[in-house]
Amino acid sequence: MVGIVFRDYRMHWKEGIQSVFKNGSWFIYLYLMIVPVNLFDYADKISEVMTYYGILFPIMIGLLLSRMYSNGINKTMFLCPLEKEERKRYLVSAYWLRVIVPTFLFILIGTVLVGTHNISMKSFLILVVSETMYFIASNLYLEAAYQKPDYEKKHNLSGYTFWQIVAQIFGLFFMVVCISFAGDLNVPFQSMNFAIIFFLLVVQFAITIKVVLGYWEKVMRIAIDYEMSLVGSGKEE
Amino acid sequence: MLHLENVTKRFDSFQLSNITFDLPKGYIMGLIGQNGSGKTTLLHIIMGLYSVQTGTVTFNERNAHEQEKEVKNKIGFVLNEELFTKGISLEENARLYGNYYNSFDFEIFEHYCERFGLQMNRKLKHYSKGEKLKFQFAFALSHNPELLILDEPTESFDPEFREEFIQIVTEFVRDGEHSVLLATHLTEELDRIADYITFIHKGNLVFSLDKETMLDSYRMVSGENYKVNLLSKEQIIYKEKGTYATKALVKHGKYYHYDRELMVSRPTTSDIMYYIIKGDEKNGRNRF
């Protein structure tokens, strides 16, 4: 199934990019600016700037993937001969692909950065855990819930958008805190700062658990159903 | 082949109520009705996109919603909207979506693309609306469907292709094993090719009859107004008073007799649809 998803994503990447802009998800690109603006205040070495961009890049890719290919199936595919269970398997495979690809990229870049002594192993591990949780939460994105005001109420999804936004803001906040506390990510955290970071990591874990346990089944149930995922409750003709 | 039994579907502002009809193997059924009457909704139900509140949709003895994979494998669709992936070629689209079908035949697809004048390596987005529908039609025919569901495709076809389309559809049902459900409000085509007509109005089934029975059930009557008024009110579906004569659609039976001064003729499908809708608008109730 992963092969099918990969092939579908390869064929639909242009439409995915278009939908990012169409649905107002262009805010992803602000990520490119937020941290560097702060960074240039104290970064005196180009390698440090590159380190931060190296960390930021997989996060951006992860968020971009979650918006390009939200949990949904296009109408043509709904018309194709697939059982609900097969559609669910497709969606679950697609979801994990969108989580694993940026996580793997993050690990790959992080390993190089650890190898070149640009970040410490401890910082790397903390960021891997945090970013994986970030990808897990943000990939439960359901486009219709953001686009239609009464969607949550109609589909028993109360609090869905709120928790999605919380998970995303917190993920970004965590990264900014890490960077601020560490200054240089290669310098070991001070014990007080590490305690705060550990606490924030626990909070992020709790948020991710809330998002996954609270909405996974509901999002999948909606996404495999044409009527709920694309139409909502209106009438087409 | 296709059987709908008391199908009801409710939306916030619309309801499709108790739709029942049968489409046997080897026949073409025309699905008629105004815009917004529920034709597309009904087709979406048959194709398994919408669930039903009550009733069942059965295709070759299989419940279309419970055994959707088997059923969808045997249904080809042409819908008057943007389907498939615009940014890739026709060939890539066919390979991408054809993969999901048990018996998608790429050679048949190639054959129809050539016949319809479509270049397989050209991206779908570069084609006009009519050509996109031709592509949908080629795709639909390429996985050996038993039933073709066509939702108002002909409006976007040029007159030349419309003829070819009619020819292909007629050929498709010739072996007696395949059927076509064609939703349209261009009823002239149905007068030529349909064996059955199902008429939906405001979400209600007006009738589902074989075409001959339908045409025999009504008569167009025209003549002087007072002569038309002599017909029983129950018989008149709707009458339209003109400058020189009054025209009316009336219910007809084998033993019905008409005044010799009235002109009586068989109505067309379009006449039946028009007068029934007008009658409903005037009377505010169904007098079908």
Side-chain angles (χ1 to χ4, degrees):
Chain A
M1 195 55 95
V2 173
I4 294 171
V5 174
F6 193 76
R7 187 199 58 199
D8 284 1
Y9 278 9
R10 188 168 56 82
M11 299 272 195
H12 288 104
W13 71 271
K14 278 186 190 165
E15 279 155 345
I17 296 279
Q18 281 165 3
S19 76
V20 166
F21 286 96
K22 201 170 80 186
N23 300 328
S25 301
W26 49 268
F27 71 88
I28 290 163
Y29 302 101
L30 292 178
Y31 277 51
L32 268 177
M33 291 187 284
I34 293 166
V35 176
V37 165
N38 189 25
L39 253 179
F40 286 117
D41 290 343
Y42 57 83
D44 53 359
K45 280 192 263 175
I46 192 71
S47 68
E48 282 179 23
V49 176
M50 294 310 290
T51 300
Y52 290 118
Y53 270 119
I55 292 166
L56 207 60
F57 181 66
I59 297 169
M60 273 200 48
I61 293 293
L63 199 54
L64 187 65
L65 285 175
S66 75
R67 265 46 185 176
M68 279 172 72
Y69 311 110
S70 73
N71 289 292
I73 292 175
N74 67 40
K75 187 168 183 174
T76 313
M77 204 166 155
F78 271 113
L79 290 163
C80 289
L82 286 166
E83 298 283 1
K84 275 193 173 176
E85 268 312 304
E86 286 176 296
R87 288 202 290 270
K88 188 172 180 180
R89 275 210 306 277
Y90 175 93
L91 285 164
V92 171
S93 304
Y95 171 84
W96 285 114
L97 189 74
R98 296 194 307 270
V99 170
I100 287 167
V101 165
T103 304
F104 179 75
L105 193 64
F106 193 85
I107 290 170
L108 202 71
I109 293 173
T111 307
V112 172
L113 293 171
V114 170
T116 54
H117 303 290
N118 282 304
I119 62 171
S120 70
M121 182 56 96
K122 200 187 238 175
S123 299
F124 170 63
L125 291 175
I126 286 169
L127 286 169
V128 166
V129 173
S130 170
E131 294 321 320
T132 306
M133 287 194 289
Y134 184 68
F135 299 141
I136 285 172
S138 60
N139 271 298
L140 272 179
Y141 174 66
L142 201 57
E143 193 183 310
Y146 281 77
Q147 306 297 329
K148 297 175 185 173
D150 57 349
Y151 195 85
E152 284 187 1
K153 197 176 159 193
K154 278 188 171 146
H155 298 296
N156 189 24
L157 273 172
S158 61
Y160 167 80
T161 319
F162 170 78
W163 284 106
Q164 271 288 306
I165 292 169
V166 166
Q168 282 163 44
I169 290 176
F170 199 88
L172 183 64
F173 169 70
F174 181 87
M175 196 185 66
V176 172
V177 169
C178 269
I179 290 167
S180 306
F181 279 3
D184 181 340
L185 282 171
N186 198 24
V187 175
F189 290 109
Q190 292 167 13
S191 58
M192 183 59 185
N193 289 349
F194 183 72
I196 292 170
I197 280 176
F198 187 76
F199 170 74
L200 292 178
L201 204 60
V202 171
V203 174
Q204 193 184 7
F205 181 73
I207 292 169
T208 309
I209 291 292
K210 165 70 191 167
V211 169
V212 172
L213 292 184
Y215 301 104
W216 171 274
E217 276 304 323
K218 289 174 185 172
V219 166
M220 290 299 161
R221 179 176 52 85
I222 288 168
I224 60 168
D225 189 299
Y226 172 79
E227 215 171 325
M228 286 200 276
S229 64
L230 294 182
V231 185
S233 57
K235 177 182 169 292
E236 280 199 318
E237 193 191 41
Chain B
M1 174 175 268
L2 179 68
H3 175 66
L4 271 76
E5 184 75 42
N6 288 324
V7 167
T8 296
K9 177 73 186 170
R10 279 183 291 275
F11 294 96
D12 291 346
S13 56
F14 178 79
Q15 181 167 324
L16 203 61
S17 304
N18 294 316
I19 307 293
T20 299
F21 67 77
D22 255 312
L23 171 58
K25 275 185 182 179
Y27 292 99
I28 298 171
M29 177 182 276
L31 183 61
I32 59 170
Q34 284 175 300
N35 288 332
S37 59
K39 300 190 296 293
T40 300
T41 303
L42 186 61
L43 296 184
H44 277 48
I45 288 170
I46 295 167
M47 291 185 290
L49 295 176
Y50 290 159
S51 59
V52 290
Q53 259 89 30
T54 61
T56 51
V57 178
T58 317
F59 177 78
N60 283 345
E61 312 300 322
R62 290 190 167 107
N63 186 306
H65 292 117
E66 286 167 12
Q67 293 167 280
E68 62 175 311
K69 188 173 182 174
E70 290 91 336
V71 170
K72 283 178 179 173
N73 249 315
K74 295 293 173 195
I75 295 180
F77 55 84
V78 179
L79 307 183
N80 197 355
E81 58 183 289
E82 296 273 349
L83 291 177
F84 294 89
T85 306
K86 285 178 280 179
I88 58 176
S89 69
L90 305 192
E91 182 179 348
E92 286 171 313
N93 264 299
R95 292 197 190 280
L96 181 66
Y97 295 103
N99 252 331
Y100 295 111
Y101 289 87
N102 286 344
S103 50
F104 186 83
D105 189 330
F106 197 76
E107 281 181 18
I108 297 177
F109 176 72
E110 261 181 316
H111 161 77
Y112 279 111
C113 279
E114 202 179 307
R115 183 168 170 181
F116 300 164
L118 302 169
Q119 289 173 287
M120 298 225 300
N121 56 358
R122 200 167 168 219
K123 285 182 180 172
L124 185 62
K125 68 179 175 187
H126 293 137
Y127 283 104
S128 67
K129 191 178 178 189
E131 287 169 320
K132 282 176 187 162
L133 292 178
K134 285 181 189 176
F135 160 69
Q136 277 194 42
F137 193 37
F139 183 86
L141 292 165
S142 303
H143 60 83
N144 296 310
E146 289 176 18
L147 171 68
L148 275 180
I149 291 182
L150 312 168
D151 188 10
E152 309 197 15
T154 49
E155 289 160 42
S156 305
F157 292 155
D158 52 76
E160 194 188 335
F161 187 75
R162 210 174 282 172
E163 285 303 312
E164 191 169 2
F165 170 80
I166 287 172
Q167 193 189 333
I168 292 170
V169 165
T170 315
E171 277 168 20
F172 181 76
V173 296
R174 193 163 291 159
D175 65 357
E177 292 298 316
H178 299 82
S179 304
V180 174
L181 181 56
L182 170 61
T184 184
H185 43 244
L186 297 178
T187 50
E188 296 77 18
E189 284 157 11
L190 298 180
D191 286 330
R192 287 173 62 189
I193 62 169
D195 304 297
Y196 288 84
I197 301 289
T198 295
F199 181 14
I200 292 173
H201 183 53
K202 293 180 181 170
N204 295 299
L205 181 71
V206 179
F207 58 71
S208 183
L209 297 167
D210 68 86
K211 196 169 71 189
E212 287 310 308
T213 306
M214 176 195 79
L215 294 175
D216 278 343
S217 302
Y218 301 97
R219 283 292 180 267
M220 284 305 300
V221 174
S222 63
E224 285 187 63
N225 190 40
Y226 83 96
K227 288 278 182 190
V228 174
N229 283 340
L230 290 176
L231 294 164
S232 82
K233 279 187 178 174
E234 286 305 309
Q235 197 184 347
I236 298 172
I237 304 286
Y238 180 70
K239 62 178 179 181
E240 232 173 22
K241 203 173 167 183
T243 316
Y244 301 108
T246 294
K247 271 177 92 172
L249 180 78
V250 297
K251 288 180 186 171
H252 178 70
K254 202 174 176 182
Y255 302 106
Y256 281 40
H257 294 285
Y258 301 91
D259 191 290
R260 285 166 62 184
E261 287 179 32
L262 288 173
M263 278 178 65
V264 181
S265 60
R266 274 184 121 199
T268 61
T269 308
S270 175
D271 290 333
I272 293 170
M273 189 174 138
Y274 172 77
Y275 280 88
I276 285 178
I277 290 169
K278 293 301 268 184
D280 181 61
E281 280 171 10
K282 188 189 170 198
N283 299 310
R285 64 194 172 98
N286 297 335
R287 302 182 71 237
F288 313 135

